[in-house]
Amino acid sequence: MNMNESIYNLIPEQYVPPNKSTLYRSKFPGAAPANKKPSASMGQPHTVVDAAQFLKKGTSGVATVRNPAAVGVAMRSTEKMKPTVPRRDEKPVMGLISQKNYITANAVDNILAVPKKPQSREVNYLAKQDYGLVPKYLDRVKGQISEEYKMIEEMQQSSQPQNEDEIDMLTDDERSKLLDGLKANWAQVNKDYQQLSFTLDTPHT
């Protein structure tokens, strides 16, 4: 148990404003010097500028885009590449008459024009290089099947006796004894199977 808990802790404390720090004041005087330029923001003027001697157009000694002649570059030709726009008082040539019948000429051109063949984007399988040929993978599959058949025939031939004299025929007594033994074995296995306990396995989800 915390012994410092008290109901008096629920009473809000009175706000005490913090003490303000002293205002910063520079050690330099705030008055600007009398010889300072009106447009300058800091420092003292070093040269006296004559307002009448300002930089005029084309008098710059530095090569610029506007003054290429300062470095001896010839100015480009000012010849007009295109004819000028007609003035308001200029009138076009009037009275030109053409003997051509544009309607008839247009009809004749359309009649004699050869229609354009549409470009087909469908794939033409008949134009393929291997069209009509047996695919290569079929030859490979046929070879594998023939090898399997050959291997099966060799196994069958190896299991069969080479000489018919080596084959022994069973008598009726031997055949009946063999069948009785097989039936007895099956009965024993079936009996053991029937005596097994029943179990049901349910899948866990």
Side-chain angles (χ1 to χ4, degrees):
M1 183 176 180
N2 190 2
M3 304 301 296
N4 294 330
E5 292 183 356
S6 176
I7 194 172
Y8 293 105
N9 294 337
L10 301 176
I11 301 175
E13 298 180 359
Q14 187 177 3
Y15 175 73
V16 179
N19 297 328
K20 292 185 178 181
S21 58
T22 57
L23 184 64
Y24 172 78
R25 295 189 179 278
S26 176
K27 60 182 180 180
F28 302 100
N35 56 354
K36 181 177 176 298
K37 291 193 294 184
S39 59
S41 58
M42 58 187 302
Q44 296 183 358
H46 300 283
T47 57
V48 178
V49 179
D50 187 4
Q53 300 296 329
F54 56 88
L55 186 63
K56 298 180 181 180
K57 181 180 179 181
T59 59
S60 175
V62 182
T64 59
V65 177
R66 297 182 178 273
N67 186 22
V71 291
V73 179
M75 297 183 65
R76 62 181 180 180
S77 176
T78 57
E79 296 181 0
K80 296 180 180 180
M81 305 296 294
K82 295 182 179 180
T84 58
V85 179
R87 311 176 85 183
R88 290 186 300 173
D89 53 352
E90 294 180 358
K91 295 181 180 181
V93 180
M94 305 295 290
L96 296 177
I97 299 174
S98 177
Q99 302 296 333
K100 182 178 180 180
N101 190 350
Y102 290 95
I103 298 176
T104 305
N106 190 14
V108 171
D109 293 341
N110 291 327
I111 292 171
L112 299 178
V114 179
K116 295 182 180 180
K117 294 182 179 180
Q119 296 180 357
S120 177
R121 296 184 180 179
E122 297 180 357
V123 180
N124 186 10
Y125 294 98
L126 301 179
K128 296 178 65 177
Q129 295 180 357
D130 56 351
Y131 175 75
L133 302 178
V134 179
K136 295 181 179 180
Y137 75 93
L138 288 180
D139 296 336
R140 185 174 65 254
V141 172
K142 288 181 180 178
Q144 294 175 357
I145 294 173
S146 62
E147 290 177 0
E148 291 177 0
Y149 278 130
K150 189 182 296 182
M151 183 178 63
I152 292 172
E153 290 178 358
E154 291 177 356
M155 292 175 61
Q156 291 177 353
Q157 291 177 1
S158 62
S159 62
Q160 293 179 357
Q162 301 294 333
N163 242 338
E164 293 184 359
D165 298 337
E166 298 178 0
I167 300 174
D168 295 334
M169 299 295 293
L170 294 175
T171 62
D172 293 338
D173 294 338
E174 292 175 349
R175 179 177 176 277
S176 61
K177 288 180 181 180
L178 181 61
L179 292 176
D180 293 339
L182 292 174
K183 289 180 180 179
N185 292 338
W186 179 85
Q188 183 64 33
V189 172
N190 188 26
K191 181 181 179 181
D192 296 340
Y193 175 74
Q194 295 295 336
Q195 292 177 355
L196 292 175
S197 61
F198 176 75
T199 57
L200 179 63
D201 294 335
T202 57
H204 297 282
T205 58

